[in-house]
Amino acid sequence: MQILRSRLRPYLGSRDFYKSALGVMIPVTIQQLINNLFNMVDNLMVGSLDPDGLAMSAVTVANKPYSIFFGVFFGMTGAAGLLISQYYGARDLKTCQRLFSLQMVIGLLTSLIFGAALALLPTQVMRLFVTDGRTVELGVAYISIIWLSYIPAAVSNTCIFSLRSLGKNRASMLVSLMTMALNALFNYAFIFGKLGSPAMGVRGAALGTLAARLCEMGFYLAMLARRTTPFSLDMKGFLRLERSVTRSFALKAVPLISNEILWTCGLSVFFWSYARLNEAALPAITIGEQCNQIASVMAMGTSSAVSVLIGAELGANRLRQAKANCKKLLTLVLGISLCCVTVCCLLAFILPNAFGITPALRAMATRICLIMGLLAPMNFVYGFCFYCMRAGGDTKSAMLLDSGYMWLVPVPVSVLLALTRPGDLGVEAAVFVVQFLMNVKVILALAVLRRGRWVRNITGPA
């Protein structure tokens, strides 16, 4: 027993340590959950427009480009965020501001590119995933408005991820709560024709989301103008970045952005594969994805503490303390992952009943949600390992494990199932195979984490 206690001691932190970790995790989890609820609110309300779920399928497919956009953005802000976290730990606030300006400019340019592509090619985007004419028509109607929301989303997400890298999450959480409430109100008015508005259906869902995104951007612009955060509206600050910092950002950003593009495209391939197996099952798959996103948000919330409690220690060159914090956080991640299983299993029986779809689709959605929930702990531990690698700048290992493994194993398997078993293999079985293959890579991730290449200070010259 004494030997066991001595081995477990490095993995157990003090009450103050876990209080500090939860102080970072909880606001991030709530804020990110609210962000993901944007699409859920759209799906929930449009899901009541028809029992076959055509409108919900259309909105889901129309939002697939946003997933890729967010992936690019996540990779870019991830690279800047890990640098901001370490420079903040080194008390170099000027470099933090210049990195903020850099990602704001890149984010706006990216939003313009994606928005223009959607505005010009809405039908082609829809037909990548679905063939039903009515679903395509509804999706095009949604895209005709939603593409305008990419610019305010870029501004808001730059602020959210930059503040998160400093551990300042309370303001973002409150803004997201307010934005979520506005989104629900606008959607209710525009979709169903309430509060003096005409009933617009799926176009109303897009307009409601756009209005909420504009309000959210307004909140963050006001915060920046009043200098209530360490960042400001200095858009030209990136021009004053030192060459070594710019080079370091590029070296970190390119693999992270590439990884996120490959990752989100891989998820889109999974969705395409499920649609090919049974396009009528898309509403159930959409609900299952919502449950999986809730698990992913909880995993991201726990992993966010890595940037603050590990990234700052690395930036301050306290490498031994960073490794010690890693072990203590791993224990907390495991505990929260078990709670997540319980939450997801409960949602499997509650969430499908909130949508106005047929009983057969609800039953299928319940089974898919259970699959997602039971595999959640492996996703938690893998996410933790991934964030540790990113915090120390080991983006090469992170990319190989994340998108590299994804495109070598689960993606080919999903495509093979879609091409050889359409109408024969149940969607639930395909989801289980793909999700199991996705999560089993946690074994490789733990091995890379133990190797310790990520334990280094990257605030010096790259």
Side-chain angles (χ1 to χ4, degrees):
M1 183 63 71
Q2 190 66 30
I3 296 175
L4 180 62
R5 287 178 180 175
S6 63
R7 289 184 176 180
L8 290 177
R9 191 172 294 116
Y11 294 90
L12 300 176
S14 65
R15 179 178 298 180
D16 288 340
F17 176 83
Y18 288 124
K19 183 178 179 181
S20 177
L22 290 172
V24 175
M25 292 177 182
I26 292 174
V28 170
T29 302
I30 294 174
Q31 186 271 323
Q32 195 62 36
L33 179 61
I34 293 167
N35 261 9
N36 283 313
L37 284 176
F38 264 90
N39 288 343
M40 185 182 290
V41 168
D42 285 354
N43 289 330
L44 186 61
M45 292 189 179
V46 300
S48 64
L49 296 176
D50 64 276
D52 293 326
L54 293 181
M56 183 164 63
S57 296
V59 170
T60 300
V61 173
N63 277 318
K64 286 300 174 184
Y66 183 81
S67 299
I68 299 174
F69 164 75
F70 188 79
V72 174
F73 213 86
F74 188 71
M76 184 266 295
T77 55
L82 69 89
L83 288 171
I84 287 174
S85 176
Q86 293 207 12
Y87 278 106
Y88 188 70
R91 299 296 179 234
D92 185 351
L93 299 184
K94 288 184 178 179
T95 300
C96 291
Q97 167 60 39
R98 292 165 185 170
L99 285 164
F100 173 81
S101 301
L102 177 62
Q103 59 182 332
M104 181 68 80
V105 170
I106 296 175
L108 287 172
L109 290 174
T110 304
S111 68
L112 289 172
I113 293 170
F114 272 81
L118 283 175
L120 296 172
L121 303 168
T123 303
Q124 290 85 339
V125 169
M126 292 298 299
R127 290 199 177 279
L128 285 174
F129 297 94
V130 292
T131 57
D132 179 74
R134 180 58 179 161
T135 305
V136 172
E137 181 185 348
L138 291 170
V140 169
Y142 184 86
I143 289 174
S144 68
I145 295 175
I146 202 64
W147 71 270
L148 293 166
S149 70
Y150 280 57
I151 293 176
V155 174
S156 299
N157 283 322
T158 297
C159 296
I160 289 169
F161 283 107
S162 297
L163 290 171
R164 183 180 298 176
S165 65
L166 306 181
K168 299 182 182 294
N169 303 303
R170 188 172 182 273
S172 296
M173 181 187 70
L174 295 176
V175 170
S176 294
L177 279 170
M178 191 177 303
T179 306
M180 178 64 194
L182 290 172
N183 187 40
L185 178 64
F186 291 146
N187 277 3
Y188 174 72
F190 298 144
I191 293 173
F192 304 113
K194 306 295 183 180
L195 305 177
S197 169
M200 299 173 64
V202 294
R203 286 174 58 85
L207 184 59
T209 298
L210 172 60
R213 289 291 188 194
L214 288 170
C215 292
E216 181 184 40
M217 179 179 69
F219 291 136
Y220 282 111
L221 290 177
M223 290 170 60
L224 294 174
R226 294 174 184 172
R227 294 183 176 270
T228 56
T229 74
F231 307 112
S232 70
L233 282 170
D234 178 15
M235 297 292 288
K236 296 181 180 179
F238 74 96
L239 297 173
R240 298 189 294 274
L241 269 173
E242 294 180 12
R243 183 174 297 180
S244 61
V245 180
T246 305
R247 182 170 179 268
S248 181
F249 170 79
L251 290 173
K252 306 298 181 296
V254 170
L256 282 176
I257 292 173
S258 301
N259 177 69
E260 293 302 327
I261 291 175
L262 290 170
W263 174 267
T264 50
C265 287
L267 294 179
S268 296
V269 171
F270 296 158
F271 188 84
W272 171 86
S273 300
Y274 302 149
R276 186 176 177 87
L277 286 170
N278 184 1
E279 190 170 314
L282 286 185
I285 296 167
T286 298
I287 296 171
E289 284 189 344
Q290 298 290 350
C291 185
N292 189 46
Q293 284 181 6
I294 291 172
S296 297
V297 164
M298 293 179 69
M300 183 182 291
T302 58
S303 299
S304 65
V306 171
S307 298
V308 178
L309 298 177
I310 294 180
E313 296 293 345
L314 293 173
N317 214 37
R318 294 189 289 266
L319 307 186
R320 183 175 297 179
Q321 186 61 45
K323 288 186 69 174
N325 286 354
C326 174
K327 293 179 179 180
K328 296 170 186 175
L329 285 171
L330 179 58
T331 304
L332 183 60
V333 167
L334 287 171
I336 296 176
S337 71
L338 296 178
C339 296
C340 180
V341 171
T342 303
V343 171
C344 288
C345 288
L346 289 174
L347 285 175
F349 296 97
I350 297 172
L351 193 58
N353 291 314
F355 292 83
I357 54 177
T358 63
L361 286 173
R362 283 199 295 268
M364 184 184 295
T366 294
R367 293 191 290 271
I368 293 174
C369 288
L370 285 172
I371 292 169
M372 301 288 195
L374 292 172
L375 293 174
M378 289 193 289
N379 186 37
F380 267 73
V381 177
Y382 170 75
F384 174 77
C385 296
F386 178 80
Y387 273 79
C388 283
M389 294 174 215
R390 280 198 0 172
D394 189 8
T395 52
K396 182 178 179 181
S397 295
M399 181 178 179
L400 289 173
L401 276 170
D402 215 35
S403 59
Y405 172 87
M406 183 187 210
W407 281 86
L408 282 174
V409 183
V411 166
V413 170
S414 70
V415 171
L416 182 64
L417 293 176
L419 295 177
T420 61
R421 305 292 296 277
D424 179 28
L425 182 69
V427 170
E428 300 99 313
V431 169
F432 174 78
V433 170
V434 169
Q435 291 301 315
F436 179 79
L437 291 175
M438 279 289 290
N439 286 293
V440 76
K441 65 184 174 182
V442 67
I443 299 171
L444 297 173
L446 286 169
V448 173
L449 191 71
R450 289 190 63 182
R451 196 169 57 184
R453 285 182 56 188
W454 58 274
V455 186
R456 57 198 178 102
N457 181 357
I458 60 173
T459 59

